[in-house]
Structures are given as C-alpha cells and as structure tokens.
Amino acid sequence: DKGEYPHFMLKEIYEQPEALTNAMRGRLHEADATAHFGGLNLTAAQLRQVERIIITGCGTSYYAGLVGEYLIEDLARLPVEVEYASELRYRHPPIDPQTILLAITQSGETADTLAALREANRRGQTTLAICNVVGSSIAREAHGGVYLHAGPEIGVASTKAFTAQCLVLTLLALYLGRLRHLSVSQGQRILRELQALPEAVRQALQCHDSVKTLAEKYSHATNMLYLGRQYLYPVALEGALKLKEISYIHAEGYPAAEMKHGPIALVDEQTPSVFLVPSGPVFDKVLANMQEIKARGGPIIAITSGNEAEVAAIADDVIAVPAVAEYLQPIVTVIPLQLLAYEMALLRGCDVDRPRNLAKSVTVE
Ligand code: F6R
C-alpha cells in the first residue's frame, strides 16, 4: 500500500530513516563496542582467519558492494574485490581457502548473483549473503548472512535497499574490524555515529523542495554526469543509474578526477554535472575537479556537506546534506540523488514505479 504517497518509490525514499533503524535494531552491542549478527554461522575465530573478501552483485547492489570495499578496507583492513556477478560466474579466479564470497542482493533471486554464489559453493568456498527478502534462494543457499530488514521494496528502482545494504556493510566492517585492530574507543565512536545516522537521513530528506526546483531547471537535459571521489564514487555511479532507469536521461558516473582523461570532452553548456562534495579530506580535491568542469562551461550542481559558501562560489546550484563521518557519507549523499531522479522522471511523464524494459527481479541470465 502506497499510503499517502503517489508512488512506491517516493514512499520507500521516505522510509529510509526507519529502514535504517530497523537494519540496526538489536545489532549494536555497546558492551563489546561492536556489531552482532544472528546468522553469519561463522565463529569469531573462523572470521579472523579470513584474508580476503570477494563481493558480488548486480546493479545497485553491486554499487553498494563498491561502498563495502571502502568500508571493509578502512575499518577492517581486509583486501576486498568487487565483481559483477554476471562476470564472476564465468571467470576462473584463483581462490584460496581464506577467501570468502559475499553476495549482495535485495531480492535474493537475481539469476547471475545466484549462479556466482552456487559456483563458489561448488568450489567449497565459504559464502555469505546480504539479502532483504527472507527465505529467498540466495538467503537459503549461502552458508550464512545478514538480512536488511528494510521491509518490502516494491518500486523497481532500488532506494531503501541500497542505503540498508551500505549500513549492513558498515556493521559487518565494524565487526570484522573489532576482530582485528579496531580499539574499544574506536568501536564506541562508530556506534555513536551509527545511532545518529537515521536522524541525519531525516535531515537530508528536507532537501526535497530544493531538489524539485533543481529538477525543473534541468529536466530537459539529455546527458548528465555524476562525479564523486572515494566513498562517494560509487554513489556517483548509483545516482547516474537512478536517473537513467526512471527518467531515461543518459547519465554517467565517474571518479571526479578521471574526467580529464577523456570524458571531459562531453562537457558543454547543455551537459550538467552533479558533483558530490563531502566535508573532510576530499573536499578541496573535488572543488579543484569542479573548477575543471566550470572552465569548460558545464553547468554544475553540487551536493555538499562541506562549506557551502566555498562550493557556491563555483557551482550553479547547491544542495546541502548533513555532515556525517566519512564512511557514512554514501547513505546521506544518495538521498538527494534519489529525489532528483524521481522528480526529473515525474516532470518527463515517466512511470517511476514501473520504468520501461525493467523488472523488479532479474531471474534470467
Ligand atoms: C536499480 C536496481 C537494479 C538491482 C539489480 C540487482 O535500481 O534495482 O539494478 O539492484 O537488478 O537486484 P537485487 O539486489 O535484487 O539482486
């Protein structure tokens, strides 16, 4: 039931503070300053033996996996590779016994992700899954896993599943980190930052009116670029995918500094760039990348948690989001991008809940 909302997608965007609270519920363990999970089916001793993680998934779930790569490297200092399930299933990667496969999937039924998981199971690898749908094929066939508890996602474009996936990956990275080198005080700081997250997402949703105005300004674009660095590079990819799939506007995500290696040739007065400009260590770097685009005459939309005046000196339009710890920035920053895709699609008369050519769950190869 859509309730008061005109579309499932909008309802699910607005459910995110609650979905994140549900994904955390019962999993934050104050006494040990870590996260706990019921269904990993691996002991702490077994998990300490893990030397490498291969994450796999498709589409938005693959992008959450890319966020997971930064998270697990940062918090747990474990090497991570992220592979499209459709590619991984036919590859022949050298695997050692200390490598585990982590599948990420909202539906738990995506054919390529299921096939990649089965192939890893067949080789005798330990497999874990992060799933939303309880009792789905992937949830059943993985050795262990974590449910999102995000509630049913009906809109074809994934929204609350993405943020819940990023959150569960943070919890997992915290847990793996606390089995390795993270101290009690570092664990406690992360728990506090996690507890404040749903409120930060609630604040981020308040950008909706400014995003509407923005959508009116740019809804006739035929090409758009989404640019971010580090934790926000996967979010740039996700923002571009959201726009493509529901508004049918061509959009590309790139690491902001890669533009000058080719894609900057696309920039002209008709090609807006959405820059993700977080407070913290990458702020100045992204501003420098913004200057490069501005110098070529490209319109610039900036989503920022940093100094707004500095950003506004370069960007044409600025949307502010709350400042959070660097590893939580993806969850807060994707909110305006989801709303932008939604509003642009509405203005172009698209069916946001059932975009053309797409199905909610891709059960064929
Ligand atoms: C994009 C979207 C798809 C899915 C992909 C994987 O909004 O929904 O890209 O993320 O088809 O689906 P799951 O997560 O069910 O495996």
Side-chain angles (χ1 to χ4, degrees):
D1 179 22
K2 292 189 289 233
E4 59 188 291
Y5 293 97
H7 298 97
F8 282 108
M9 182 181 178
L10 192 63
K11 173 173 181 266
E12 289 158 7
I13 289 173
Y14 271 86
E15 276 171 355
Q16 289 175 109
E18 198 190 326
L20 293 166
T21 303
N22 291 339
M24 271 189 267
R25 179 163 297 121
R27 289 174 169 162
L28 306 189
H29 201 273
E30 295 287 344
D32 292 340
T34 188
H36 275 183
F37 308 97
L40 287 183
N41 299 331
L42 290 168
T43 62
Q46 285 171 318
L47 277 169
R48 229 191 336 262
Q49 304 294 315
V50 172
E51 286 176 4
R52 175 172 163 236
I53 298 180
I54 298 179
I55 297 181
T56 197
C58 302
T60 289
S61 294
Y62 168 83
Y63 295 148
L66 292 178
V67 174
E69 179 175 15
Y70 287 89
L71 281 165
I72 295 169
E73 270 182 19
D74 250 11
L75 303 184
R77 311 290 311 140
L78 267 174
V80 178
E81 286 151 60
V82 193
E83 302 276 352
Y84 281 113
S86 54
E87 289 297 310
L88 182 64
R89 62 180 293 190
Y90 294 118
R91 278 183 47 198
H92 194 53
I95 299 290
D96 51 67
Q98 282 80 36
T99 299
I100 62 171
L101 181 90
L102 172 60
I104 304 183
T105 168
Q106 188 285 129
S107 62
E109 301 296 345
T110 300
D112 283 319
T113 311
L114 180 58
L117 178 86
R118 284 182 175 158
E119 179 62 10
N121 280 341
R122 187 198 55 76
R123 284 193 298 255
Q125 266 188 282
T126 299
T127 57
L128 293 176
I130 295 177
C131 284
N132 196 33
V133 177
V134 175
S136 56
S137 303
I138 291 171
R140 281 185 278 113
E141 294 189 30
H143 295 133
V146 187
Y147 282 120
L148 297 178
H149 298 311
E153 192 180 65
I154 312 288
V156 164
S158 187
T159 53
K160 64 176 178 174
F162 175 76
T163 46
Q165 285 165 343
C166 292
L167 175 68
V168 164
L169 284 161
T170 311
L171 299 180
L172 195 62
L174 167 62
Y175 179 61
L176 293 171
R178 287 283 291 133
L179 294 179
R180 291 174 167 76
H181 68 284
L182 282 184
S183 67
V184 176
S185 64
Q186 286 169 315
Q188 283 168 338
R189 176 179 50 76
I190 292 170
L191 290 184
R192 279 195 304 277
E193 289 164 347
L194 284 166
Q195 280 151 349
L197 177 68
E199 183 51 36
V201 170
R202 214 165 272 126
Q203 283 172 30
L205 285 164
Q206 287 168 10
C207 72
H208 196 166
D209 283 340
S210 353
V211 169
K212 255 184 213 162
T213 313
L214 203 62
E216 280 157 18
K217 185 166 167 189
Y218 292 104
S219 69
H220 296 294
T222 46
N223 292 293
M224 284 182 62
L225 295 160
Y226 284 71
L227 306 165
R229 301 180 70 132
Q230 300 293 305
Y231 273 105
L232 296 185
Y233 159 52
V235 178
L237 299 175
E238 169 62 5
L241 176 62
K242 283 297 88 100
L243 189 74
K244 278 183 268 213
E245 67 181 333
I246 61 167
S247 77
Y248 319 141
I249 297 171
H250 174 241
E252 295 293 337
Y254 279 103
E258 275 297 303
M259 289 299 289
K260 54 184 157 308
H261 300 288
I264 203 164
L266 295 169
V267 170
D268 61 16
E269 288 76 19
Q270 272 73 53
T271 308
S273 293
V274 179
F275 271 91
L276 310 180
V277 201
S279 60
V282 296
F283 182 78
D284 291 332
K285 302 270 178 212
V286 182
L287 285 195
N289 299 139
M290 258 168 59
Q291 290 284 13
E292 294 161 3
I293 301 300
K294 191 184 167 86
R296 274 75 174 188
I300 295 174
I301 301 162
I303 314 291
T304 191
S305 53
N307 183 313
E308 270 185 73
E310 274 184 73
V311 176
I314 310 172
D316 297 278
D317 297 280
V318 182
I319 302 283
V321 289
V324 292
E326 199 182 3
Y327 62 90
L328 294 175
Q329 284 166 352
I331 295 175
V332 171
T333 311
V334 78
I335 304 292
L337 304 186
Q338 295 168 342
L339 289 167
L340 182 63
Y342 174 80
E343 293 296 340
M344 300 270 269
L346 280 192
L347 288 167
R348 295 165 71 102
C350 303
D351 182 348
V352 293
D353 279 340
R354 274 176 305 275
R356 70 185 182 202
N357 310 342
L358 291 172
K360 181 63 183 161
S361 177
V362 185
T363 53
V364 291
E365 178 170 345

